[in-house]
Amino acid sequence: MSTPIYKNTYTKKERNMYLIGMAGQNMIYNIIGTGLYFYYQSVIFLPAMAISIFMAIARVWDAINDPMMGTFVDKTHTKWGKCRPYLLFCPAVIFVITVLCFVNGRYSEANSTATNVLIIVWAAISYILWGMAYTVGDIPLWGITSLMTDDEKDRSSILALARIAGGVGAGVVLLCIIQISQSVGNALTPKVGNSESAMQYGFIIIAAVFAFVGCALFQLVGIFTRERVAQTEQQNSIKDNFKLMWSNEPFRKVLISSVIRSPIQLLMSVAMTLLNYYFGNFGHKDYTLYLIVLGGAIFIAQFAMSALAPKLCEKFEKKTVYNVSTAVSAVAFALIFVVYLIAPTDLDKPLWVVVNFILFGGAGAGMGALNVMQSILIADAVDYEEYHHGIRPDGVFFSGQSFATKLSSGIASIIQGIAFAIIGFSGDKVAACNAALDAGASFKDDFPQYAMMMFFLCAIPPAIGLLLSIIPMKKYPLTNEDNKKILASLVEKRQHATANAEIGE
């Protein structure tokens, strides 16, 4: 077999526009993943179990919706390609629905039953609609990476850079949205005359601003990227694609592993609540330093490992990189709770801040490596399927990544909702806690049961999920050498097909 020449790849401008768009798309995701959950829980006081139930319903629908969307992408044939049409028209829709998720009433036992039901129903409907719109953009956004190039190094590089860019976008929102929203709410309080209403307006305004910026950046991907890898002629039905996803052994093992480690999402959904209450006393203390130090530890480590993971894959088996990263991250997560048990009220002291910086960094490093490895392994599974069966299911297989991410978020929200319902951090009791903090109470001293549960959720379920997620990957079937042979064969086949087509013309 002759050595193929890799020329069919993206330009620097395309790469940069893709990465900027990825940052914008992840801003949107964290507006909902971090900002909206906090908003539901601590601003409009929805019951914890109600949040868990409608988020679970949304995730069940996603189990059907994501592969359906992947099938639609794979069946799309336009002059722009199969992914770009969705990337061109989806961001504006996502913007509108993102804002509508925040436009709601406040749940309270003082309301009529009908009013409270309508508040929960609208929260559920808008959240489910958002998930559907996000899927329409998310699957093509990831799927297009395997169509922009057929060079394995370029593909691994852009996937790693995409995770870094996505982390930057997500980090901006994660570190800012709640603090800025609270600041705007506090500024509006004298004009509105009611602190709860002012806080709600603050969140709506800032969510709209972040959503507009995120969607504007996301729009750049559809405008500036190009699809270069030719589509395969054979296309499957939705039913066939479900079978295909399960029959492809490499993809199946990656998907199962991703779902098992779902509790890792608790760090993202609980961390901001934890920081805001434990270190900030619900905005009554400046917790910016702790936000920067602990949040920075996660993101710096994530970025470093996202960049390093592809290079590690060149020296070690991808399966080994995946499993070792998982184990290291699991240990770091577990130790976060151990440290809390040792010093439950002293974690704002310099020594324990340093210790937690190291542990949060270890957790973030594992997450960064796993995020990149997941995308790389799914791209390998696409090549595997084309090599063995002549079908290139970019949309369907990357819909599996979208499905795993959202299912993980849903499972995490269910765990969180049940845990908070058990200890009473729900509905009007959250409002009462906020009022007590307004009156001068100390969260970590006066509400230790809430603090302990928050640290527990950030640490123990993620650690358990990570360790269990290694099991399906222990017998992952593809080696690095297998991947090289498969991709080399596919590239040579495409080059021959192109050459023959030119001769025929």
Side-chain angles (χ1 to χ4, degrees):
M1 180 182 297
S2 61
T3 302
I5 300 174
Y6 299 111
K7 293 183 178 179
N8 202 23
T9 193
Y10 48 80
T11 65
K12 288 183 179 180
K13 181 178 180 181
E14 285 180 75
R15 178 199 64 193
N16 294 341
M17 291 299 101
Y18 177 82
L19 296 176
I20 292 172
M22 178 63 74
Q25 190 246 19
N26 276 263
M27 287 180 65
I28 302 163
Y29 183 81
N30 254 34
I31 292 169
I32 299 297
T34 298
L36 186 63
Y37 198 102
F38 185 90
Y39 178 77
Y40 283 161
Q41 172 185 266
S42 297
V43 178
I44 64 172
F45 310 120
L46 298 186
M49 284 307 301
I51 300 172
S52 294
I53 290 170
F54 69 68
M55 285 189 172
I57 293 172
R59 298 292 72 83
V60 171
W61 168 238
D62 278 339
I64 302 171
N65 185 39
D66 282 3
M68 285 174 59
M69 185 60 210
T71 301
F72 294 150
V73 170
D74 284 334
K75 287 181 174 291
T76 299
H77 294 272
T78 73
K79 63 181 180 180
W80 298 306
K82 67 179 183 180
C83 291
R84 285 187 64 220
Y86 302 98
L87 298 173
L88 285 167
F89 301 110
C90 186
V93 176
I94 293 176
F95 166 72
V96 172
I97 299 177
T98 300
V99 175
L100 290 177
C101 285
F102 287 84
V103 180
N104 204 339
R106 285 198 308 280
Y107 185 98
S108 172
E109 292 180 1
N111 294 337
S112 67
T113 300
T115 299
N116 281 338
V117 168
L118 286 174
I119 290 170
I120 293 174
V121 168
W122 175 243
I125 291 174
S126 59
Y127 182 77
I128 292 171
L129 287 175
W130 180 88
M132 293 171 62
Y134 186 84
T135 295
V136 174
D138 188 54
I139 292 171
L141 180 64
W142 287 101
I144 200 171
T145 57
S146 64
L147 300 173
M148 292 168 66
T149 179
D150 54 17
D151 184 324
E152 184 179 22
K153 287 187 177 181
D154 282 352
R155 185 174 68 191
S156 295
S157 174
I158 199 169
L159 286 170
L161 291 172
R163 288 296 185 178
I164 294 173
V168 171
V172 168
V173 174
L174 181 67
L175 297 177
C176 297
I177 188 169
I178 293 176
Q179 274 196 311
I180 295 177
S181 297
Q182 287 179 318
S183 297
V184 171
N186 290 334
L188 291 174
T189 298
K191 297 179 180 180
V192 175
N194 181 292
S195 61
E196 290 183 345
S197 295
M199 192 67 66
Q200 187 173 4
Y201 293 149
F203 269 83
I204 294 172
I205 292 168
I206 298 305
V209 170
F210 274 116
F212 179 81
V213 173
C215 288
L217 297 179
F218 186 13
Q219 186 73 64
L220 298 177
V221 181
I223 296 173
F224 289 103
T225 58
R226 296 293 180 269
E227 298 181 17
R228 289 177 169 78
V229 176
Q231 301 180 46
T232 53
E233 293 298 325
Q234 183 178 347
Q235 302 294 332
N236 285 334
S237 66
I238 294 174
K239 180 180 179 181
D240 290 335
N241 277 332
F242 274 105
K243 294 179 180 178
L244 179 67
M245 294 169 72
W246 189 253
S247 64
N248 185 296
E249 186 180 3
F251 177 80
R252 182 175 71 244
K253 289 185 178 296
V254 172
L255 184 64
I256 292 173
S257 178
S258 299
V259 173
I260 291 174
R261 71 168 186 271
S262 294
I264 198 173
Q265 294 289 338
L266 282 164
L267 179 63
M268 293 296 100
S269 62
V270 179
M272 284 308 302
T273 301
L274 170 63
L275 289 168
N276 189 283
Y277 279 94
Y278 185 90
F279 294 105
N281 222 41
F282 194 63
H284 294 287
K285 292 182 180 179
D286 184 7
Y287 63 102
T288 304
L289 175 63
Y290 307 102
L291 189 65
I292 293 173
V293 171
L294 300 182
I298 294 173
F299 287 109
I300 290 171
Q302 271 190 319
F303 300 156
M305 283 305 299
S306 293
L308 186 59
K311 296 187 180 300
L312 291 175
C313 291
E314 295 176 10
K315 295 184 177 181
F316 306 100
E317 288 292 333
K318 294 174 183 176
K319 178 179 75 173
T320 302
V321 176
Y322 186 100
N323 288 339
V324 171
S325 300
T326 302
V328 170
S329 189
V331 173
F333 269 106
L335 289 176
I336 290 172
F337 187 62
V338 173
V339 167
Y340 169 78
L341 294 178
I342 295 172
T345 60
D346 295 326
L347 296 183
D348 53 354
K349 304 296 189 296
L351 171 63
W352 296 112
V353 171
V354 171
V355 171
N356 271 321
F357 176 85
I358 295 170
L359 295 179
F360 275 77
M367 292 168 64
L370 289 172
N371 286 338
V372 173
M373 292 305 304
Q374 180 186 34
S375 298
I376 290 175
L377 294 176
I378 289 176
D380 288 345
V382 173
D383 290 335
Y384 178 91
E385 191 64 33
E386 183 181 1
Y387 178 79
H388 285 286
H389 301 111
I391 302 172
R392 188 165 185 83
D394 309 89
V396 171
F397 278 17
F398 275 98
S399 77
Q401 176 172 275
S402 176
F403 163 68
T405 299
K406 288 186 287 183
L407 180 61
S408 296
S409 178
I411 292 174
S413 69
I414 292 171
I415 296 171
Q416 180 176 345
I418 292 173
F420 282 161
I422 290 173
I423 63 171
F425 192 68
S426 174
D428 281 355
K429 291 185 178 179
V430 177
C433 173
N434 293 351
L437 298 177
D438 288 340
S442 168
F443 181 75
K444 61 185 178 181
D445 292 325
D446 297 323
F447 298 95
Q449 73 278 21
Y450 295 163
M452 177 178 285
M453 181 57 75
M454 289 177 189
F455 275 100
F456 175 85
L457 289 173
C458 282
I460 301 304
I464 294 172
L466 283 163
L467 290 175
L468 292 177
S469 72
I470 295 174
I471 296 173
M473 293 299 293
K474 290 179 68 175
K475 294 185 178 181
Y476 181 76
L478 289 180
T479 65
N480 289 6
E481 189 61 30
D482 292 334
N483 291 329
K484 290 178 181 178
K485 290 179 180 179
I486 287 172
L487 189 56
S489 175
L490 292 175
V491 171
E492 186 175 46
K493 180 180 177 181
R494 292 168 192 151
Q495 290 176 345
H496 286 166
T498 301
N500 291 336
E502 292 174 352
I503 293 174
E505 291 176 358

